[in-house]
Amino acid sequence: MSRRSTSLLKQVLNGLHATRAYRLVAPWTRGVGAVFMLHQVCPPSGEAFEPSRILQITPEFLDLTIAKTRSEGFDIVSLDEVHHRLVHNQMGRPFVSFTLDDGYRDNLVHAMPVFDAHKVPYAVYLPDRFADGAADLWWLALEAVIRKANRVEIEMFDVPWTFETSTRHGKEDAHSKIYWWLRSIDEVEARGVVRTLSEEHGVDGAALAADLLMTWDEVRTMNANPLTTIAAHTSDHFALAKLPEDRMHSQIDTNLRRLEEELGERPQHFSYPYGCENSAGPREFDWLRTLGMKTAVTTRKGMLFPEHADHLTALPRLSLNGDFQDVRHLEVLLSGAPFALLNKGRKLNVS
Ligand SMILES: [Zn+2]
């Protein structure tokens, strides 16, 4: 999610909370449930420059979120149960499901004990190449380069640019311009650009990934917990909609096969890498349905409605965003009111 859309959502949340308007509209906007999206669960790093902080929440906030969600009357269920309730139209109590993308080691170290304490099920979406030790966390490598550098030189749009990055403001400006340019171009090329920058600035991307991501043994430890569902997230974490069809297929098929080989069970749930409109669309939704996945989630924002029973491979999620670690926001988020505003009243956003 971009900084701009994050701050827009924050304004909407604050406004709705201040007026309590969300309570009035909740019966129409809340739908039947929601899927929470998390990435890292860890104590604050204390870094001043850390754009990826929006993808981190603390174990304490996870604990509060679970307690608050239950006290608001929601059941907390597994993805299998989300599928079951949608398919069989069992819409008694509202429900949420917790999902974590990418397979960060802190999910095992910090999140699992919290889920265990509350007996809450959750799913981890895992690229097999990440657990192989071959991840390219290019977005974190880029952040590490800009954090370290006082000046970044780069060619964008065939034009040489020089960013002064000695100040926090300079770093944020450079990051936002370079990151969104990289997201707009071919991803193989984008990853090559970050590799070159990393070499120039002495950032070891492989070490960074090894430090952050679970190994297969750690994944197996997590998977032995009956509360855990290990789910699919492609092999190498490319934005699927930008790939030719055969590569899109192989990224998914290889991931399903590898997870089955390593863990003994074929995954039945899937998350689209990046998950935005430019990263996953109807071509991908159809392919996951053809493969017989029970559910597949995007990063499009929204609540679940009974109509999603016909769109099980294009489910929206609610991001538990590191910038919103405030349970007051949670109450507003779970009312669905912000998404009714942001999605202009549309329940489904699946095209
Ligand atoms: Zn991911």
Side-chain angles (χ1 to χ4, degrees), residues 101-102 233 237:
D101 287 19
D102 302 340
H233 198 35
H237 205 282

mmCIF file of all heavy atoms in Angstrom, residues 101-102 233 237, ligand 1:
data_model
loop_
_atom_site.group_PDB
_atom_site.id
_atom_site.type_symbol
_atom_site.label_atom_id
_atom_site.label_comp_id
_atom_site.label_asym_id
_atom_site.label_seq_id
_atom_site.Cartn_x
_atom_site.Cartn_y
_atom_site.Cartn_z
ATOM 1 N N ASP A 101 1.580 -13.212 5.312
ATOM 2 C CA ASP A 101 2.214 -13.459 4.018
ATOM 3 C C ASP A 101 3.732 -13.590 4.146
ATOM 4 O O ASP A 101 4.364 -12.896 4.955
ATOM 5 C CB ASP A 101 1.917 -12.294 3.056
ATOM 6 C CG ASP A 101 0.476 -12.291 2.569
ATOM 7 O OD1 ASP A 101 -0.387 -12.918 3.207
ATOM 8 O OD2 ASP A 101 0.206 -11.641 1.536
ATOM 9 N N ASP A 102 4.305 -14.467 3.341
ATOM 10 C CA ASP A 102 5.746 -14.559 3.029
ATOM 11 C C ASP A 102 6.575 -15.513 3.894
ATOM 12 O O ASP A 102 7.672 -15.869 3.523
ATOM 13 C CB ASP A 102 6.450 -13.176 3.051
ATOM 14 C CG ASP A 102 5.839 -12.189 2.080
ATOM 15 O OD1 ASP A 102 5.146 -12.627 1.141
ATOM 16 O OD2 ASP A 102 6.042 -10.971 2.264
ATOM 17 N N HIS A 233 1.862 -19.187 -2.128
ATOM 18 C CA HIS A 233 2.118 -17.758 -2.402
ATOM 19 C C HIS A 233 3.075 -17.605 -3.595
ATOM 20 O O HIS A 233 3.823 -16.647 -3.652
ATOM 21 C CB HIS A 233 2.716 -17.136 -1.128
ATOM 22 C CG HIS A 233 2.666 -15.633 -1.052
ATOM 23 N ND1 HIS A 233 1.646 -14.871 -1.556
ATOM 24 C CD2 HIS A 233 3.532 -14.738 -0.492
ATOM 25 C CE1 HIS A 233 1.891 -13.588 -1.314
ATOM 26 N NE2 HIS A 233 3.030 -13.482 -0.676
ATOM 27 N N HIS A 237 7.532 -15.164 -5.792
ATOM 28 C CA HIS A 237 6.921 -13.896 -5.391
ATOM 29 C C HIS A 237 7.009 -12.810 -6.464
ATOM 30 O O HIS A 237 7.411 -11.678 -6.195
ATOM 31 C CB HIS A 237 7.552 -13.399 -4.074
ATOM 32 C CG HIS A 237 6.666 -12.485 -3.280
ATOM 33 N ND1 HIS A 237 6.495 -11.164 -3.597
ATOM 34 C CD2 HIS A 237 5.887 -12.700 -2.196
ATOM 35 C CE1 HIS A 237 5.675 -10.604 -2.727
ATOM 36 N NE2 HIS A 237 5.283 -11.524 -1.871
HETATM 37 ZN ZN ZN B 1 3.970 -11.590 -0.211
#
